Amino acid sequence: MRGNEDAGSPAADSSRPRRTPGNLPVELTTFHGRENELDRLRHEVIRARLVTVTGTGGVGKSRVAARAAEQLQERFCDGVWLVETSASRDPQLLEHSVVAALRLTDHSGRAPLTTLLEHLSHRRLLLVLDGFEHLVEESARLVRELLRRLPGLRVLATGRRPLGIAGEQLFPLDPLAAPEAARLFTDRAAAVRPGFALGPDNHEQVADLCHRLDGIPLALELAAGRLRTLSLPQMLERLDDRFALLTGGTRDAPPHHQTLRTAVGWSHELCSPRERLLWARLSVFAGAFDLEAAEYVCSGTDLPAEQVLDVLAQLVAQSLVTREDAPSGVRYRMLDTLRAYGAYWLAATGQTRRLRERHRDWYTGLVTWCELEWFSPRQEEVALRITDEVANLRAALEFAVDEDDDPRHGLYLAGTLWFCWVGCGRLQEGRHWLERALERERYDPVNPGEGAAGDNAVRLRALGLAGYLAVLGGDTVTALAALHECLEEAERTGDERAIAYSLLRMGALALISDDVRRAEELLSGALERYAELGELNSHVLLGRVELALALAFGGDLQRAIALCEGVRRECAEHGELWARAYALFGLGFAAWTQGEPARAGALLREGLAISAGFRDLVATVLMLEMLALVAVSEDRAREAAVLQGAAGRLWPSVGMPLFGSRYFNAPHNECERLARAALGEGSYLEALREGAALTPEVAVERALRPGDGGPATAGGLLPLPVEPAAAPRPYPFPDEGEPGYGRGIAS
């Protein structure tokens, strides 16, 4: 073995430092991050004889494996040897490639495997088999034989998929985390544009670039190379066509790494026809998806539904799709870069519209099921599922509202998702989609002026919901216009459900407008109509709580308590939690009014735990306001001010603070008066600022632990979405982890 012959020779010159044999290349560029991954990978190589680093193309498998191998050299007296298999497409040359990489010399004409077994029989070395995915079967056979016959051998392999050998330890490699991705991009950018550095003027642009390129090192390096001719803003503008943009890799890079398109195309080429077909069809999903959705949306005569699981498993094995455990169950995800490549192929087949229609149909069915199950013991399951599906729901809405031939689809989706908009804290987004759907229906070029192609019930439902979301946002003018239009049209067409709903929401509007007598009249009339229809659902139960609040504000506390207790019993009977939180708010308000702050606090904290779990912003902020009043009543003035500050951060995500209502504002004003008097102006304002700086999750945890004014963590609560209450933001809105998520007025 050349390169090793001096190391074990008695004639070796002992005056020279001994070099560990091997052929690992010298690193030409700096290595960034991956400290935790490298630690774990080294541990796995020490523990297992075969470790395979898997991951998508360009994620850095080769670089990480080489780095870990270099750090392990001292453990292998006969060296660390790299075999780059990607350069050879001929399976018959695989063994010859290993012989050549190990610098073995054999002129006997024997088979290369025999040469390997003989020369390595008593050696202790690490073999790095890099990029075997195009020769999986041949590589697996060779590695299996070598490990079986050579006890001193360990193998570190890299590929998109496992070798599938007994004893193989898999090491999935994820894309770079945001800080590491930014450091890598900045370093490579400085190499082509001396003086380039990360600073306040470009920090957000670099973060956006790294996010949109999925933290894939190859994509980041290619993007940095583009700075020779483009500015950062220009690159961001062109990223929609990322494959055309990211070209021009270094000359010494492997052929399949010289452009992003070629790197992904290399993975695509190695897929079977069915795998390529599913890859293309999965591109219609936004974010993660579950197996049932993939089976429905992506199946067809050329890919039966019962075969989708097997093909999906192959894509997972090749690191083209990742599996993740979400609150609602097992889900799958494709990196945006891979999804974009699949979308190109889907467009080339002419199936994009058909697949988007199937995607819309699946999520329409899911939304219908979720609404039916909302008023049931599965309500929490529905909330988790709908939260996990937000990205796909947006994609379905986008298609239904902007591209669908029939505007009813958009109206139905936006209107049926009321429990997502109201119950799961997405008020402003709900207004955004409802306004777009109603506007599209109003100017339907196919059926102008006919109102959703004659299906008036769908339109009225969306119109009534739009009015109610405007009520919650304190937008009285818009609310009145929508609800009156809904009521007039419902009366004209005899739609009793739409009449009942319109009256119910007009009653809510009267309540926050401080017209408690009118609110009592409208809410009572609406509830009577629902009783005549034989309907009991979350709308009805919430309407009863609103009626109870109208009665309480008007001085009839006993009837209010009786109504809320009735709602609490109905909720227990039907497994309804969301409306139960509002009933607890009403009971907490009544308990405080009766001079029982301890009981009020217990009721309100129970309600807060429920509403925060559902991400219901309206109930959550109302609970915080009342708990602040309870705190000041219990001589905890500073904590009361902190909670008021936290509530102040949340109100802009709902609309006008406390709806601009004198009755809803009364507890807030009383709390502020008492807290200012107890603390003094300066200390009160300081505590208010402290509360405004808390994240919503921490504020909720703090409110749930009375008497503990120390730091808290968010625990297991779902993140509360914080949105400005001004004009709705354009689609898409940021999710958890995206730039702009969770920013309130204190940010």
Side-chain angles (χ1 to χ4, degrees), residues 580-631:
R580 176 187 176 89
Y582 284 92
L584 290 166
F585 171 78
L587 291 170
F589 176 85
W592 180 83
T593 304
Q594 292 176 319
E596 302 178 68
R599 182 168 179 271
L603 290 164
L604 292 164
R605 281 188 289 273
E606 182 185 349
L608 177 61
I610 296 171
S611 62
F614 279 110
R615 300 163 49 122
D616 182 343
L617 292 177
V618 175
T620 296
V621 73
L622 287 173
M623 302 284 184
L624 287 174
E625 292 279 7
M626 280 301 302
L627 282 168
L629 182 57
V630 169

Short mmCIF file of all heavy atoms in Angstrom, two decimals, residues 580-631:
data_model
loop_
_atom_site.label_atom_id
_atom_site.label_comp_id
_atom_site.label_asym_id
_atom_site.label_seq_id
_atom_site.Cartn_x
_atom_site.Cartn_y
_atom_site.Cartn_z
N ARG A 580 -66.47 26.51 26.43
CA ARG A 580 -66.37 26.41 27.88
C ARG A 580 -65.48 27.53 28.44
O ARG A 580 -65.77 28.10 29.50
CB ARG A 580 -65.80 25.05 28.27
CG ARG A 580 -65.56 24.87 29.76
CD ARG A 580 -64.85 23.54 30.02
NE ARG A 580 -64.53 23.37 31.43
CZ ARG A 580 -65.32 22.82 32.33
NH1 ARG A 580 -66.51 22.37 31.96
NH2 ARG A 580 -64.93 22.70 33.58
N ALA A 581 -64.41 27.87 27.72
CA ALA A 581 -63.51 28.93 28.18
C ALA A 581 -64.27 30.25 28.32
O ALA A 581 -64.06 31.00 29.28
CB ALA A 581 -62.33 29.08 27.23
N TYR A 582 -65.15 30.55 27.36
CA TYR A 582 -65.92 31.79 27.43
C TYR A 582 -66.92 31.75 28.60
O TYR A 582 -67.15 32.77 29.26
CB TYR A 582 -66.65 32.04 26.11
CG TYR A 582 -65.73 32.53 25.02
CD1 TYR A 582 -65.11 31.64 24.16
CD2 TYR A 582 -65.46 33.89 24.88
CE1 TYR A 582 -64.25 32.09 23.17
CE2 TYR A 582 -64.60 34.35 23.90
CZ TYR A 582 -63.99 33.45 23.04
OH TYR A 582 -63.13 33.90 22.07
N ALA A 583 -67.50 30.58 28.85
CA ALA A 583 -68.40 30.45 30.00
C ALA A 583 -67.63 30.69 31.29
O ALA A 583 -68.15 31.34 32.22
CB ALA A 583 -69.04 29.06 30.01
N LEU A 584 -66.41 30.20 31.37
CA LEU A 584 -65.59 30.42 32.56
C LEU A 584 -65.23 31.89 32.72
O LEU A 584 -65.14 32.40 33.84
CB LEU A 584 -64.32 29.56 32.47
CG LEU A 584 -64.55 28.06 32.62
CD1 LEU A 584 -63.31 27.28 32.18
CD2 LEU A 584 -64.91 27.71 34.06
N PHE A 585 -65.03 32.58 31.59
CA PHE A 585 -64.79 34.03 31.67
C PHE A 585 -66.01 34.73 32.28
O PHE A 585 -65.88 35.59 33.17
CB PHE A 585 -64.49 34.60 30.29
CG PHE A 585 -64.44 36.11 30.27
CD1 PHE A 585 -63.33 36.78 30.73
CD2 PHE A 585 -65.53 36.85 29.80
CE1 PHE A 585 -63.29 38.18 30.74
CE2 PHE A 585 -65.50 38.24 29.79
CZ PHE A 585 -64.37 38.90 30.26
N GLY A 586 -67.20 34.38 31.79
CA GLY A 586 -68.41 34.99 32.34
C GLY A 586 -68.57 34.71 33.82
O GLY A 586 -68.93 35.60 34.60
N LEU A 587 -68.29 33.48 34.23
CA LEU A 587 -68.40 33.13 35.64
C LEU A 587 -67.33 33.83 36.48
O LEU A 587 -67.57 34.22 37.62
CB LEU A 587 -68.30 31.61 35.81
CG LEU A 587 -69.49 30.81 35.26
CD1 LEU A 587 -69.17 29.32 35.25
CD2 LEU A 587 -70.75 31.09 36.08
N GLY A 588 -66.14 33.98 35.90
CA GLY A 588 -65.07 34.69 36.60
C GLY A 588 -65.42 36.15 36.79
O GLY A 588 -65.18 36.73 37.87
N PHE A 589 -65.99 36.77 35.77
CA PHE A 589 -66.42 38.16 35.88
C PHE A 589 -67.48 38.31 36.97
O PHE A 589 -67.43 39.24 37.80
CB PHE A 589 -66.98 38.64 34.53
CG PHE A 589 -67.52 40.03 34.55
CD1 PHE A 589 -66.70 41.12 34.37
CD2 PHE A 589 -68.89 40.26 34.76
CE1 PHE A 589 -67.20 42.42 34.40
CE2 PHE A 589 -69.41 41.54 34.79
CZ PHE A 589 -68.56 42.64 34.61
N ALA A 590 -68.42 37.36 36.99
CA ALA A 590 -69.48 37.42 38.00
C ALA A 590 -68.92 37.23 39.41
O ALA A 590 -69.33 37.93 40.36
CB ALA A 590 -70.54 36.35 37.71
N ALA A 591 -67.96 36.31 39.55
CA ALA A 591 -67.38 36.06 40.87
C ALA A 591 -66.65 37.30 41.37
O ALA A 591 -66.76 37.66 42.56
CB ALA A 591 -66.43 34.86 40.81
N TRP A 592 -65.91 37.97 40.51
CA TRP A 592 -65.21 39.19 40.94
C TRP A 592 -66.22 40.27 41.32
O TRP A 592 -66.05 40.97 42.31
CB TRP A 592 -64.28 39.69 39.84
CG TRP A 592 -63.57 40.94 40.27
CD1 TRP A 592 -62.44 41.04 41.02
CD2 TRP A 592 -63.99 42.28 40.00
NE1 TRP A 592 -62.12 42.36 41.23
CE2 TRP A 592 -63.05 43.14 40.62
CE3 TRP A 592 -65.06 42.85 39.29
CZ2 TRP A 592 -63.17 44.53 40.55
CZ3 TRP A 592 -65.18 44.22 39.23
CH2 TRP A 592 -64.23 45.05 39.86
N THR A 593 -67.29 40.39 40.52
CA THR A 593 -68.31 41.40 40.80
C THR A 593 -68.96 41.15 42.16
O THR A 593 -69.34 42.09 42.87
CB THR A 593 -69.39 41.38 39.69
OG1 THR A 593 -68.75 41.57 38.42
CG2 THR A 593 -70.42 42.47 39.90
N GLN A 594 -69.07 39.87 42.54
CA GLN A 594 -69.67 39.51 43.83
C GLN A 594 -68.67 39.59 44.98
O GLN A 594 -69.00 39.21 46.10
CB GLN A 594 -70.25 38.10 43.75
CG GLN A 594 -71.46 38.00 42.82
CD GLN A 594 -71.95 36.57 42.69
OE1 GLN A 594 -71.17 35.62 42.60
NE2 GLN A 594 -73.27 36.40 42.69
N GLY A 595 -67.44 40.06 44.70
CA GLY A 595 -66.45 40.22 45.76
C GLY A 595 -65.73 38.94 46.12
O GLY A 595 -65.32 38.77 47.28
N GLU A 596 -65.57 38.02 45.16
CA GLU A 596 -64.87 36.76 45.41
C GLU A 596 -63.67 36.65 44.47
O GLU A 596 -63.66 35.86 43.53
CB GLU A 596 -65.80 35.57 45.19
CG GLU A 596 -67.05 35.57 46.05
CD GLU A 596 -67.94 34.39 45.74
OE1 GLU A 596 -67.53 33.24 46.03
OE2 GLU A 596 -69.03 34.61 45.16
N PRO A 597 -62.60 37.42 44.70
CA PRO A 597 -61.46 37.41 43.78
C PRO A 597 -60.75 36.06 43.69
O PRO A 597 -60.27 35.69 42.62
CB PRO A 597 -60.53 38.49 44.35
CG PRO A 597 -60.94 38.67 45.77
CD PRO A 597 -62.40 38.40 45.81
N ALA A 598 -60.67 35.31 44.78
CA ALA A 598 -59.99 34.02 44.74
C ALA A 598 -60.72 33.05 43.81
O ALA A 598 -60.11 32.35 43.00
CB ALA A 598 -59.87 33.43 46.14
N ARG A 599 -62.07 33.01 43.96
CA ARG A 599 -62.86 32.13 43.10
C ARG A 599 -62.79 32.61 41.65
O ARG A 599 -62.68 31.81 40.72
CB ARG A 599 -64.31 32.09 43.57
CG ARG A 599 -65.19 31.17 42.75
CD ARG A 599 -66.54 30.92 43.41
NE ARG A 599 -67.37 30.05 42.60
CZ ARG A 599 -68.21 30.48 41.63
NH1 ARG A 599 -68.33 31.79 41.42
NH2 ARG A 599 -68.92 29.63 40.93
N ALA A 600 -62.83 33.93 41.46
CA ALA A 600 -62.73 34.49 40.12
C ALA A 600 -61.40 34.08 39.47
O ALA A 600 -61.36 33.67 38.31
CB ALA A 600 -62.86 36.00 40.16
N GLY A 601 -60.32 34.18 40.24
CA GLY A 601 -59.01 33.82 39.71
C GLY A 601 -58.94 32.36 39.29
O GLY A 601 -58.39 32.03 38.23
N ALA A 602 -59.51 31.46 40.09
CA ALA A 602 -59.50 30.04 39.76
C ALA A 602 -60.27 29.77 38.46
O ALA A 602 -59.82 29.02 37.59
CB ALA A 602 -60.07 29.23 40.92
N LEU A 603 -61.45 30.40 38.33
CA LEU A 603 -62.26 30.21 37.11
C LEU A 603 -61.54 30.77 35.89
O LEU A 603 -61.52 30.13 34.82
CB LEU A 603 -63.61 30.90 37.29
CG LEU A 603 -64.58 30.26 38.29
CD1 LEU A 603 -65.69 31.22 38.67
CD2 LEU A 603 -65.16 28.97 37.70
N LEU A 604 -60.96 31.94 36.03
CA LEU A 604 -60.30 32.58 34.89
C LEU A 604 -59.04 31.84 34.46
O LEU A 604 -58.74 31.74 33.28
CB LEU A 604 -59.97 34.04 35.24
CG LEU A 604 -61.19 34.96 35.40
CD1 LEU A 604 -60.79 36.24 36.11
CD2 LEU A 604 -61.81 35.27 34.03
N ARG A 605 -58.29 31.31 35.43
CA ARG A 605 -57.09 30.55 35.06
C ARG A 605 -57.46 29.26 34.35
O ARG A 605 -56.78 28.84 33.40
CB ARG A 605 -56.25 30.28 36.30
CG ARG A 605 -55.42 31.49 36.73
CD ARG A 605 -54.44 31.14 37.84
NE ARG A 605 -55.13 30.89 39.10
CZ ARG A 605 -55.44 31.82 39.97
NH1 ARG A 605 -55.14 33.09 39.71
NH2 ARG A 605 -56.04 31.52 41.10
N GLU A 606 -58.55 28.64 34.78
CA GLU A 606 -59.02 27.45 34.07
C GLU A 606 -59.40 27.80 32.63
O GLU A 606 -59.06 27.07 31.69
CB GLU A 606 -60.23 26.84 34.80
CG GLU A 606 -60.74 25.56 34.16
CD GLU A 606 -62.00 25.02 34.82
OE1 GLU A 606 -62.37 25.52 35.92
OE2 GLU A 606 -62.64 24.11 34.24
N GLY A 607 -60.07 28.91 32.47
CA GLY A 607 -60.44 29.34 31.12
C GLY A 607 -59.24 29.73 30.28
O GLY A 607 -59.17 29.44 29.09
N LEU A 608 -58.26 30.40 30.92
CA LEU A 608 -57.06 30.82 30.19
C LEU A 608 -56.27 29.63 29.68
O LEU A 608 -55.76 29.65 28.55
CB LEU A 608 -56.18 31.68 31.10
CG LEU A 608 -54.85 32.15 30.51
CD1 LEU A 608 -55.07 33.02 29.29
CD2 LEU A 608 -54.05 32.92 31.56
N ALA A 609 -56.16 28.57 30.48
CA ALA A 609 -55.44 27.38 30.04
C ALA A 609 -56.07 26.79 28.79
O ALA A 609 -55.38 26.32 27.88
CB ALA A 609 -55.40 26.35 31.16
N ILE A 610 -57.40 26.84 28.72
CA ILE A 610 -58.10 26.31 27.54
C ILE A 610 -57.89 27.22 26.34
O ILE A 610 -57.49 26.77 25.26
CB ILE A 610 -59.60 26.15 27.83
CG1 ILE A 610 -59.83 25.12 28.94
CG2 ILE A 610 -60.35 25.75 26.56
CD1 ILE A 610 -61.27 25.05 29.42
N SER A 611 -58.17 28.50 26.50
CA SER A 611 -58.12 29.42 25.36
C SER A 611 -56.71 29.54 24.80
O SER A 611 -56.53 29.61 23.57
CB SER A 611 -58.65 30.80 25.76
OG SER A 611 -57.85 31.37 26.79
N ALA A 612 -55.68 29.56 25.68
CA ALA A 612 -54.31 29.63 25.18
C ALA A 612 -53.93 28.36 24.44
O ALA A 612 -53.20 28.39 23.45
CB ALA A 612 -53.34 29.88 26.34
N GLY A 613 -54.44 27.21 24.92
CA GLY A 613 -54.17 25.96 24.22
C GLY A 613 -54.75 25.95 22.82
O GLY A 613 -54.17 25.35 21.91
N PHE A 614 -55.88 26.61 22.63
CA PHE A 614 -56.49 26.72 21.30
C PHE A 614 -55.93 27.88 20.49
O PHE A 614 -56.31 28.06 19.35
CB PHE A 614 -58.01 26.90 21.43
CG PHE A 614 -58.76 25.63 21.66
CD1 PHE A 614 -59.35 25.37 22.88
CD2 PHE A 614 -58.87 24.68 20.67
CE1 PHE A 614 -60.03 24.19 23.11
CE2 PHE A 614 -59.56 23.50 20.87
CZ PHE A 614 -60.14 23.24 22.11
N ARG A 615 -55.09 28.71 21.10
CA ARG A 615 -54.55 29.91 20.46
C ARG A 615 -55.65 30.94 20.19
O ARG A 615 -55.56 31.74 19.26
CB ARG A 615 -53.85 29.56 19.14
CG ARG A 615 -52.70 28.61 19.29
CD ARG A 615 -52.28 27.95 17.98
NE ARG A 615 -52.09 28.88 16.89
CZ ARG A 615 -50.97 29.03 16.20
NH1 ARG A 615 -49.92 28.31 16.52
NH2 ARG A 615 -50.89 29.86 15.20
N ASP A 616 -56.72 30.92 20.99
CA ASP A 616 -57.82 31.86 20.82
C ASP A 616 -57.41 33.19 21.44
O ASP A 616 -57.41 33.36 22.66
CB ASP A 616 -59.08 31.31 21.50
CG ASP A 616 -60.29 32.22 21.32
OD1 ASP A 616 -60.10 33.41 20.96
OD2 ASP A 616 -61.41 31.77 21.55
N LEU A 617 -57.09 34.15 20.60
CA LEU A 617 -56.58 35.43 21.08
C LEU A 617 -57.62 36.23 21.84
O LEU A 617 -57.31 36.89 22.83
CB LEU A 617 -56.07 36.25 19.91
CG LEU A 617 -54.81 35.74 19.20
CD1 LEU A 617 -54.48 36.63 18.02
CD2 LEU A 617 -53.64 35.68 20.15
N VAL A 618 -58.87 36.20 21.37
CA VAL A 618 -59.91 37.00 22.02
C VAL A 618 -60.10 36.56 23.46
O VAL A 618 -60.04 37.36 24.40
CB VAL A 618 -61.23 36.90 21.24
CG1 VAL A 618 -62.34 37.65 21.98
CG2 VAL A 618 -61.07 37.46 19.83
N ALA A 619 -60.35 35.27 23.67
CA ALA A 619 -60.56 34.77 25.03
C ALA A 619 -59.30 34.94 25.88
O ALA A 619 -59.38 35.30 27.06
CB ALA A 619 -60.98 33.30 24.99
N THR A 620 -58.15 34.69 25.29
CA THR A 620 -56.89 34.79 26.05
C THR A 620 -56.67 36.19 26.59
O THR A 620 -56.35 36.38 27.77
CB THR A 620 -55.70 34.37 25.16
OG1 THR A 620 -55.85 32.99 24.79
CG2 THR A 620 -54.38 34.57 25.87
N VAL A 621 -56.85 37.20 25.75
CA VAL A 621 -56.57 38.56 26.20
C VAL A 621 -57.64 39.04 27.18
O VAL A 621 -57.36 39.79 28.12
CB VAL A 621 -56.41 39.50 24.99
CG1 VAL A 621 -57.74 39.79 24.32
CG2 VAL A 621 -55.71 40.79 25.38
N LEU A 622 -58.89 38.60 27.01
CA LEU A 622 -59.93 38.94 27.99
C LEU A 622 -59.61 38.34 29.36
O LEU A 622 -59.79 38.98 30.39
CB LEU A 622 -61.29 38.45 27.50
CG LEU A 622 -61.93 39.23 26.34
CD1 LEU A 622 -63.19 38.54 25.86
CD2 LEU A 622 -62.25 40.67 26.76
N MET A 623 -59.13 37.09 29.36
CA MET A 623 -58.75 36.44 30.62
C MET A 623 -57.61 37.19 31.29
O MET A 623 -57.60 37.40 32.51
CB MET A 623 -58.33 34.99 30.37
CG MET A 623 -59.36 34.12 29.70
SD MET A 623 -60.69 33.59 30.77
CE MET A 623 -61.57 32.52 29.60
N LEU A 624 -56.60 37.59 30.52
CA LEU A 624 -55.46 38.30 31.09
C LEU A 624 -55.91 39.62 31.72
O LEU A 624 -55.43 40.00 32.79
CB LEU A 624 -54.41 38.56 30.01
CG LEU A 624 -53.60 37.35 29.54
CD1 LEU A 624 -52.70 37.75 28.37
CD2 LEU A 624 -52.76 36.77 30.67
N GLU A 625 -56.81 40.31 31.05
CA GLU A 625 -57.30 41.58 31.60
C GLU A 625 -58.01 41.35 32.93
O GLU A 625 -57.78 42.09 33.91
CB GLU A 625 -58.26 42.24 30.61
CG GLU A 625 -57.62 42.75 29.33
CD GLU A 625 -56.94 44.11 29.51
OE1 GLU A 625 -56.86 44.60 30.67
OE2 GLU A 625 -56.49 44.68 28.50
N MET A 626 -58.86 40.33 33.01
CA MET A 626 -59.58 40.08 34.26
C MET A 626 -58.65 39.55 35.35
O MET A 626 -58.81 39.88 36.53
CB MET A 626 -60.71 39.07 34.02
CG MET A 626 -61.96 39.68 33.41
SD MET A 626 -62.70 41.01 34.43
CE MET A 626 -63.00 40.15 35.97
N LEU A 627 -57.64 38.75 34.96
CA LEU A 627 -56.70 38.24 35.97
C LEU A 627 -55.83 39.37 36.52
O LEU A 627 -55.38 39.30 37.68
CB LEU A 627 -55.83 37.13 35.35
CG LEU A 627 -56.53 35.77 35.25
CD1 LEU A 627 -55.73 34.82 34.37
CD2 LEU A 627 -56.75 35.17 36.63
N ALA A 628 -55.59 40.40 35.71
CA ALA A 628 -54.89 41.57 36.23
C ALA A 628 -55.72 42.24 37.31
O ALA A 628 -55.19 42.64 38.37
CB ALA A 628 -54.59 42.55 35.09
N LEU A 629 -57.02 42.33 37.10
CA LEU A 629 -57.90 42.93 38.10
C LEU A 629 -57.94 42.07 39.37
O LEU A 629 -57.95 42.59 40.50
CB LEU A 629 -59.30 43.10 37.53
CG LEU A 629 -60.35 43.74 38.43
CD1 LEU A 629 -59.90 45.12 38.89
CD2 LEU A 629 -61.69 43.83 37.71
N VAL A 630 -57.96 40.75 39.19
CA VAL A 630 -57.92 39.86 40.35
C VAL A 630 -56.63 40.06 41.14
O VAL A 630 -56.63 40.12 42.37
CB VAL A 630 -58.06 38.38 39.90
CG1 VAL A 630 -57.74 37.43 41.05
CG2 VAL A 630 -59.46 38.12 39.36
N ALA A 631 -55.50 40.18 40.40
CA ALA A 631 -54.20 40.36 41.07
C ALA A 631 -54.18 41.63 41.91
O ALA A 631 -53.72 41.63 43.06
CB ALA A 631 -53.08 40.39 40.03
#
